[in-house]
Short mmCIF file of all heavy atoms in Angstrom, two decimals:
data_model
loop_
_atom_site.label_atom_id
_atom_site.label_comp_id
_atom_site.label_asym_id
_atom_site.label_seq_id
_atom_site.Cartn_x
_atom_site.Cartn_y
_atom_site.Cartn_z
N ALA R 1 22.38 23.28 22.78
CA ALA R 1 23.68 23.39 23.46
C ALA R 1 23.82 22.36 24.56
O ALA R 1 24.90 21.79 24.77
CB ALA R 1 23.83 24.81 24.03
N LEU R 2 22.74 22.08 25.28
CA LEU R 2 22.79 21.10 26.37
C LEU R 2 22.94 19.67 25.84
O LEU R 2 23.60 18.84 26.46
CB LEU R 2 21.53 21.20 27.23
CG LEU R 2 21.40 22.46 28.09
CD1 LEU R 2 20.02 22.49 28.76
CD2 LEU R 2 22.51 22.52 29.13
N MET R 3 22.32 19.41 24.68
CA MET R 3 22.32 18.06 24.13
C MET R 3 23.54 17.76 23.27
O MET R 3 23.80 16.61 22.94
CB MET R 3 21.05 17.83 23.30
CG MET R 3 19.77 17.88 24.10
SD MET R 3 19.66 16.59 25.34
CE MET R 3 19.57 15.13 24.29
N THR R 4 24.28 18.80 22.88
CA THR R 4 25.43 18.60 22.00
C THR R 4 26.64 18.19 22.83
O THR R 4 27.00 18.86 23.80
CB THR R 4 25.75 19.90 21.23
OG1 THR R 4 24.59 20.31 20.52
CG2 THR R 4 26.88 19.67 20.25
N ASN R 5 27.27 17.09 22.44
CA ASN R 5 28.46 16.64 23.17
C ASN R 5 29.73 17.26 22.58
O ASN R 5 29.68 18.02 21.62
CB ASN R 5 28.55 15.11 23.15
CG ASN R 5 28.52 14.55 21.74
OD1 ASN R 5 29.12 15.10 20.84
ND2 ASN R 5 27.81 13.44 21.56
N LYS R 6 30.86 16.93 23.16
CA LYS R 6 32.12 17.54 22.75
C LYS R 6 32.51 17.17 21.32
O LYS R 6 33.20 17.92 20.64
CB LYS R 6 33.24 17.12 23.70
CG LYS R 6 33.06 17.66 25.12
CD LYS R 6 34.20 17.22 26.01
CE LYS R 6 34.03 17.76 27.43
NZ LYS R 6 35.15 17.32 28.33
N LEU R 7 32.06 15.99 20.86
CA LEU R 7 32.47 15.53 19.53
C LEU R 7 31.82 16.33 18.41
O LEU R 7 32.38 16.43 17.32
CB LEU R 7 32.12 14.03 19.38
CG LEU R 7 32.88 13.08 20.31
CD1 LEU R 7 32.41 11.65 20.09
CD2 LEU R 7 34.39 13.18 20.08
N ASN R 8 30.64 16.86 18.65
CA ASN R 8 29.99 17.61 17.57
C ASN R 8 29.76 19.07 17.94
O ASN R 8 28.77 19.68 17.54
CB ASN R 8 28.66 16.95 17.16
CG ASN R 8 27.73 16.75 18.34
OD1 ASN R 8 28.04 17.14 19.47
ND2 ASN R 8 26.58 16.15 18.07
N ARG R 9 30.68 19.64 18.74
CA ARG R 9 30.62 21.07 19.05
C ARG R 9 30.79 21.91 17.78
O ARG R 9 30.21 22.98 17.64
CB ARG R 9 31.70 21.43 20.06
CG ARG R 9 31.39 21.02 21.49
CD ARG R 9 30.22 21.81 22.04
NE ARG R 9 29.88 21.38 23.39
CZ ARG R 9 28.85 21.84 24.07
NH1 ARG R 9 28.04 22.73 23.51
NH2 ARG R 9 28.59 21.41 25.29
N SER R 10 31.65 21.43 16.86
CA SER R 10 31.85 22.18 15.62
C SER R 10 30.56 22.22 14.81
O SER R 10 30.24 23.24 14.18
CB SER R 10 32.97 21.54 14.80
OG SER R 10 32.65 20.20 14.47
N GLN R 11 29.80 21.11 14.81
CA GLN R 11 28.51 21.09 14.12
C GLN R 11 27.56 22.11 14.74
O GLN R 11 26.83 22.80 14.02
CB GLN R 11 27.89 19.70 14.19
CG GLN R 11 28.48 18.70 13.20
CD GLN R 11 27.71 17.39 13.24
OE1 GLN R 11 27.51 16.80 14.30
NE2 GLN R 11 27.27 16.95 12.09
N PHE R 12 27.56 22.19 16.06
CA PHE R 12 26.70 23.14 16.74
C PHE R 12 27.07 24.57 16.36
O PHE R 12 26.20 25.42 16.15
CB PHE R 12 26.80 22.95 18.25
CG PHE R 12 25.99 23.92 19.04
CD1 PHE R 12 24.60 23.89 19.00
CD2 PHE R 12 26.60 24.89 19.83
CE1 PHE R 12 23.85 24.80 19.73
CE2 PHE R 12 25.86 25.79 20.56
CZ PHE R 12 24.48 25.75 20.51
N GLY R 13 28.38 24.85 16.24
CA GLY R 13 28.81 26.18 15.83
C GLY R 13 28.38 26.51 14.42
O GLY R 13 27.95 27.64 14.14
N ILE R 14 28.48 25.53 13.51
CA ILE R 14 28.06 25.76 12.12
C ILE R 14 26.57 26.02 12.04
O ILE R 14 26.11 26.91 11.32
CB ILE R 14 28.47 24.55 11.25
CG1 ILE R 14 29.99 24.46 11.15
CG2 ILE R 14 27.84 24.66 9.86
CD1 ILE R 14 30.48 23.21 10.46
N GLN R 15 25.80 25.26 12.80
CA GLN R 15 24.35 25.46 12.75
C GLN R 15 23.95 26.78 13.39
O GLN R 15 22.97 27.40 12.97
CB GLN R 15 23.63 24.27 13.38
CG GLN R 15 23.52 24.25 14.87
CD GLN R 15 22.25 24.90 15.38
OE1 GLN R 15 21.23 24.87 14.71
NE2 GLN R 15 22.32 25.47 16.57
N LEU R 16 24.73 27.27 14.36
CA LEU R 16 24.46 28.60 14.92
C LEU R 16 24.66 29.68 13.86
O LEU R 16 23.90 30.65 13.80
CB LEU R 16 25.37 28.86 16.12
CG LEU R 16 24.90 28.38 17.49
CD1 LEU R 16 25.89 28.81 18.56
CD2 LEU R 16 23.51 28.87 17.81
N ILE R 17 25.68 29.50 13.02
CA ILE R 17 25.90 30.44 11.92
C ILE R 17 24.71 30.41 10.96
O ILE R 17 24.22 31.46 10.52
CB ILE R 17 27.21 30.11 11.18
CG1 ILE R 17 28.41 30.34 12.11
CG2 ILE R 17 27.34 30.94 9.91
CD1 ILE R 17 29.73 29.92 11.52
N ALA R 18 24.23 29.21 10.67
CA ALA R 18 23.10 29.07 9.76
C ALA R 18 21.83 29.67 10.35
O ALA R 18 20.99 30.22 9.62
CB ALA R 18 22.87 27.60 9.43
N VAL R 19 21.67 29.58 11.66
CA VAL R 19 20.45 30.05 12.31
C VAL R 19 20.49 31.56 12.57
O VAL R 19 19.50 32.26 12.33
CB VAL R 19 20.23 29.28 13.63
CG1 VAL R 19 19.10 29.90 14.44
CG2 VAL R 19 19.92 27.82 13.34
N LEU R 20 21.64 32.07 13.04
CA LEU R 20 21.71 33.45 13.50
C LEU R 20 22.34 34.42 12.51
O LEU R 20 21.95 35.59 12.45
CB LEU R 20 22.48 33.51 14.82
CG LEU R 20 21.90 32.68 15.98
CD1 LEU R 20 22.80 32.78 17.21
CD2 LEU R 20 20.48 33.11 16.30
N ILE R 21 23.31 33.96 11.73
CA ILE R 21 24.06 34.87 10.85
C ILE R 21 23.50 34.90 9.43
O ILE R 21 23.32 35.98 8.85
CB ILE R 21 25.55 34.49 10.82
CG1 ILE R 21 26.12 34.45 12.25
CG2 ILE R 21 26.33 35.47 9.96
CD1 ILE R 21 26.02 35.76 12.98
N VAL R 22 23.21 33.73 8.87
CA VAL R 22 22.77 33.68 7.47
C VAL R 22 21.47 34.45 7.23
O VAL R 22 21.39 35.23 6.27
CB VAL R 22 22.64 32.20 7.02
CG1 VAL R 22 22.00 32.13 5.63
CG2 VAL R 22 24.00 31.52 7.01
N PRO R 23 20.42 34.30 8.06
CA PRO R 23 19.22 35.12 7.83
C PRO R 23 19.49 36.62 7.92
O PRO R 23 18.90 37.40 7.17
CB PRO R 23 18.26 34.66 8.94
CG PRO R 23 18.73 33.31 9.31
CD PRO R 23 20.21 33.34 9.16
N LEU R 24 20.39 37.02 8.82
CA LEU R 24 20.73 38.43 8.95
C LEU R 24 21.42 38.95 7.68
O LEU R 24 21.09 40.03 7.17
CB LEU R 24 21.64 38.63 10.16
CG LEU R 24 21.93 40.08 10.57
CD1 LEU R 24 20.66 40.79 10.97
CD2 LEU R 24 22.95 40.11 11.69
N LEU R 25 22.36 38.17 7.15
CA LEU R 25 23.03 38.56 5.90
C LEU R 25 22.04 38.59 4.75
O LEU R 25 22.14 39.44 3.85
CB LEU R 25 24.16 37.58 5.60
CG LEU R 25 25.33 37.56 6.60
CD1 LEU R 25 26.34 36.48 6.21
CD2 LEU R 25 26.00 38.92 6.67
N LEU R 26 21.08 37.68 4.76
CA LEU R 26 20.06 37.65 3.71
C LEU R 26 19.23 38.93 3.73
O LEU R 26 18.98 39.54 2.68
CB LEU R 26 19.16 36.43 3.91
CG LEU R 26 18.07 36.18 2.88
CD1 LEU R 26 18.68 35.77 1.55
CD2 LEU R 26 17.11 35.10 3.36
N ILE R 27 18.82 39.35 4.92
CA ILE R 27 18.02 40.57 5.03
C ILE R 27 18.83 41.78 4.58
O ILE R 27 18.33 42.65 3.84
CB ILE R 27 17.54 40.74 6.48
CG1 ILE R 27 16.56 39.63 6.85
CG2 ILE R 27 16.88 42.11 6.67
CD1 ILE R 27 16.16 39.62 8.30
#
């Protein structure tokens, strides 16, 4: 979050879904 700039905030949001939501749905 600290290293992500304004231009790739959407990328950071997508990767948060991949990190936090997808494993939960998998389980």
Side-chain angles (χ1 to χ4, degrees):
L2 290 173
M3 295 297 294
T4 304
N5 55 40
K6 294 181 180 179
L7 295 178
N8 54 2
R9 284 293 178 184
S10 60
Q11 281 186 308
F12 178 68
I14 293 172
Q15 81 92 30
L16 273 184
I17 294 175
V19 171
L20 301 178
I21 305 300
V22 173
L24 189 63
L25 295 177
L26 183 69
I27 294 173

